[in-house]
Amino acid sequence: MQERRSASGYIVGVQTDVTDLKRAERQIKLQAETDPLTGLLNRRSMIEGLDAVISSERTDRYSALVLVDLDHFKAINDTLGHGAGDVLLVEIGKRFKESVRKSDFVARLGGDEYAVLLVDIGSEANAIRIVRKMLKGLEAPVRLGRKSVNVSGSFGLAVVRSTKAGTPLEVIKRADIALYQAKRNGRSTYAVYSTDMERSIRHRNGMVEALRRAIERDEIQVALQPQLRFLDGAHSGFEALVRWKKDSEWVPAAELISLAEQSDLISAVGRSVVSATLSVMRDMKRKGRVPGKVAINVAAAQLRDLNFAKELLAAIAAHGHSGSEIVIEVTENVILDRTNEAIGVTLNRLSEAGVKIALDDFGTGYASLTHLQRYPVSYIKIDRSFVADLNRGYGNGAIVRAIISLAHDLGMEVVAEGIETQAQYQSLMEMGCDYAQGYLLAKPMLVEQIDAYFLDCEAKRPVAALVA
């Protein structure tokens, strides 16, 4: 309020109502500090809070920064829509706030990434306890419209000591390294930052770049492992297995797949495997060989791509093959994810074109009869762990016999993989298994070894070794 005396001697007061102005200022401040979707703090506010903790004059202050990524969030967005994804993000934000103390900061940094600043937590053990509580808070399914989805997350934790923390960005980098390690450890878990992680990640980043170059240079190869018919011991087909040689050393297949999955290169590797496999099949035919049915392993990321079926069928035709010569192998975990409706669409399109579907690693997951009926599965592959213990008791013989009987009743055929002994082979043959695969018959072979294999088949040598 302002006052002044007029020319006539009166005191005049002028009063201004600033309520709307203050309200607008508060709204602007709120918008600048919070995430508009979830109402949590935003990245800027989190960094300011982290800076305040680091700048504290208390030398005994012990805090922790936790970075969180939701696992497979993109699949939910792709299959259920962005509206459902937004509902999920809001719900997860609420759960995180319920898991921490009122004095802690919870922020959404963008996308499906969250950050939690645990202030004056006292010890690393206390921070881990809260992270475990946050993990447990994700266990209950989230209702998204008519669907209920399970959610998991990967957590990276970095300790913040005011005297040793460095800058906020350095702390965030350490938490991010721990988050990366948690994803490497299998997701739905947490990791605590250590300096050893940095060295490991530098090595892994180098490997990823080398893999990227290998894909660009068409250096991804395949090895083919034969499959034989139990009925007569004759060749029936191959399974194509990815191979990559780096600096004259073969990279283990499991490491290669892990690198590809965690660097979003899995689809590119998959395309390379498809191309290499179809090329090898074409070369066999030019030499008068009959490859039989050739199985190719595909990842969930490939099957979620609605263009995958069209591109695969086009590649099959371009190489002079028919869809009926190709088998697509998928694992139980792929078909168990009920949020991935796109996978079912892709499998049905391939099946309609004659491509066969094999359910790999059967018995290691939780597939039910419902899952077997929902998808156009033609083959079940008994996991090697059951085959390995087939003649050791443990009830595995009864399990394998039941799997074979179930598959036959459903009109499916059965492939047993990992056969290494004649006793295993004999037992599986007596149980009525359809196809055999394993080191007893033949190891995976590179292109240059295939001719020798077919010569052995013509001489009946693989079969003779088994029935001798």
Side-chain angles (χ1 to χ4, degrees):
M1 180 174 177
Q2 295 179 336
E3 294 182 354
R4 65 183 180 86
R5 187 179 296 275
S6 68
S8 59
Y10 291 99
I11 296 176
V12 179
V14 179
Q15 185 171 342
T16 304
D17 185 353
V18 295
T19 303
D20 290 341
L21 178 62
K22 292 298 183 182
R23 184 181 295 118
E25 288 178 349
R26 285 195 298 272
Q27 183 65 25
I28 292 171
K29 186 175 185 293
L30 182 65
Q31 290 175 347
E33 294 178 345
T34 60
D35 170 55
L37 174 63
T38 62
L40 302 175
L41 297 176
N42 59 19
R43 178 181 293 271
R44 173 183 169 183
S45 298
M46 175 57 66
I47 291 176
E48 289 176 352
L50 184 55
D51 187 47
V53 168
I54 294 172
S55 303
S56 170
E57 295 181 356
R58 287 180 49 185
T59 58
D60 61 339
R61 200 170 200 184
Y62 198 112
S63 301
L65 177 67
V66 183
L67 293 185
V68 186
D69 262 0
L70 300 185
D71 300 330
H72 312 301
F73 175 73
K74 184 178 183 298
I76 294 175
N77 255 350
D78 291 345
T79 56
L80 301 182
H82 290 277
D86 287 349
V87 172
L88 176 64
L89 293 172
V90 172
E91 172 61 24
I92 297 305
K94 289 179 181 176
R95 294 187 185 185
F96 286 162
K97 289 205 74 171
E98 291 170 356
S99 299
V100 302
R101 305 161 303 168
K102 291 184 178 180
S103 58
D104 298 325
F105 294 75
V106 181
R108 175 175 173 243
L109 304 184
D112 62 333
E113 186 177 12
Y114 297 82
V116 178
L117 180 58
L118 305 174
V119 182
D120 292 336
I121 197 62
S123 67
E124 183 179 299
N126 286 340
I128 291 174
R129 179 178 54 78
I130 292 181
V131 167
R132 287 175 175 166
K133 185 178 179 183
M134 292 170 65
L135 264 168
K136 189 167 183 61
L138 293 179
E139 291 180 357
V142 179
R143 191 75 184 173
L144 301 177
R146 296 180 180 179
K147 290 193 173 292
S148 183
V149 300
N150 294 314
V151 186
S152 64
S154 300
F155 292 68
L157 188 155
V159 170
V160 183
R161 299 296 295 272
S162 58
T163 56
K164 304 176 182 178
T167 67
L169 293 182
E170 287 172 338
V171 175
I172 292 172
K173 179 184 176 183
R174 291 197 286 270
D176 198 47
I177 288 172
L179 173 61
Y180 182 81
Q181 183 64 43
K183 292 179 179 180
R184 283 187 60 188
N185 292 345
R187 302 178 185 265
S188 190
T189 188
Y190 69 90
V192 181
Y193 170 81
S194 70
T195 54
D196 288 342
M197 288 181 184
E198 288 202 56
R199 288 190 290 270
S200 174
I201 287 177
R202 281 196 295 270
H203 169 73
R204 196 168 183 84
N205 287 343
M207 291 290 288
V208 168
E209 288 306 309
L211 177 58
R212 198 184 306 277
R213 290 193 298 270
I215 295 169
E216 293 171 353
R217 297 170 183 172
D218 201 23
E219 294 174 353
I220 300 299
Q221 303 179 48
V222 292
L224 300 180
Q225 186 168 27
Q227 296 175 344
L228 305 184
R229 283 196 299 267
F230 274 105
L231 181 64
D232 55 10
H235 171 81
S236 64
F238 295 98
E239 179 183 359
L241 304 167
V242 65
R243 293 292 185 267
W244 173 37
K245 181 178 282 188
K246 178 182 179 294
D247 300 331
S248 73
E249 295 285 340
W250 292 105
V251 177
E255 182 180 351
L256 165 57
I257 296 301
S258 176
L259 284 170
E261 287 179 338
Q262 295 180 15
S263 57
D264 293 328
L265 292 174
I266 191 66
S267 292
V269 169
R271 285 191 292 271
S272 295
V273 169
V274 167
S275 178
T277 302
L278 297 177
S279 295
V280 172
M281 291 175 64
R282 181 179 57 196
D283 292 342
M284 286 187 215
K285 291 180 178 180
R286 286 174 177 172
K287 294 179 180 180
R289 308 296 187 191
V290 180
K293 294 187 185 298
V294 180
I296 303 173
N297 293 275
V298 297
Q302 294 172 270
L303 296 174
R304 291 191 197 105
D305 184 353
L306 293 179
N307 291 319
F308 174 74
K310 179 181 178 181
E311 292 173 357
L312 175 61
L313 294 173
I316 291 171
H319 283 81
H321 310 308
S322 66
S324 61
E325 296 176 87
I326 302 299
V327 178
I328 292 299
E329 290 197 7
V330 298
T331 64
E332 281 192 359
N333 289 334
V334 170
I335 68 168
L336 283 172
D337 191 343
R338 301 182 66 177
T339 66
N340 290 324
E341 295 180 0
I343 289 177
V345 172
T346 298
L347 293 178
N348 282 312
R349 286 179 181 172
L350 292 173
S351 179
E352 290 167 1
V355 176
K356 301 298 184 184
I357 310 300
L359 186 56
D360 198 10
D361 300 335
F362 189 81
T364 60
Y366 302 93
S368 65
L369 294 178
T370 303
H371 294 103
L372 292 178
Q373 293 174 320
R374 183 181 299 145
Y375 298 99
V377 177
S378 297
Y379 299 96
I380 286 178
K381 295 194 74 174
I382 300 174
D383 186 67
R384 63 182 62 248
S385 62
F386 289 100
V387 173
D389 292 332
L390 192 58
N391 301 108
R392 301 176 186 169
Y394 312 124
N396 276 357
I399 294 173
V400 171
R401 188 178 292 107
I403 291 174
I404 294 171
S405 177
L406 169 65
H408 288 169
D409 287 345
L410 292 173
M412 304 172 188
E413 295 185 290
V414 182
V415 181
E417 59 182 346
I419 300 174
E420 297 184 353
T421 69
Q422 290 189 17
Q424 293 167 355
Y425 183 92
Q426 188 67 30
S427 295
L428 288 161
M429 183 167 61
E430 292 172 357
M431 292 177 184
C433 191
D434 301 291
Y435 302 99
Q437 179 181 342
Y439 278 18
L440 178 67
L441 312 173
K443 294 182 179 180
M445 58 190 69
L446 297 175
V447 176
E448 55 268 22
Q449 300 170 301
I450 292 176
D451 285 343
Y453 163 75
F454 275 113
L455 290 174
D456 280 343
C457 286
E458 292 166 3
K460 302 294 184 183
R461 281 192 280 272
V463 180
L466 292 169
V467 299

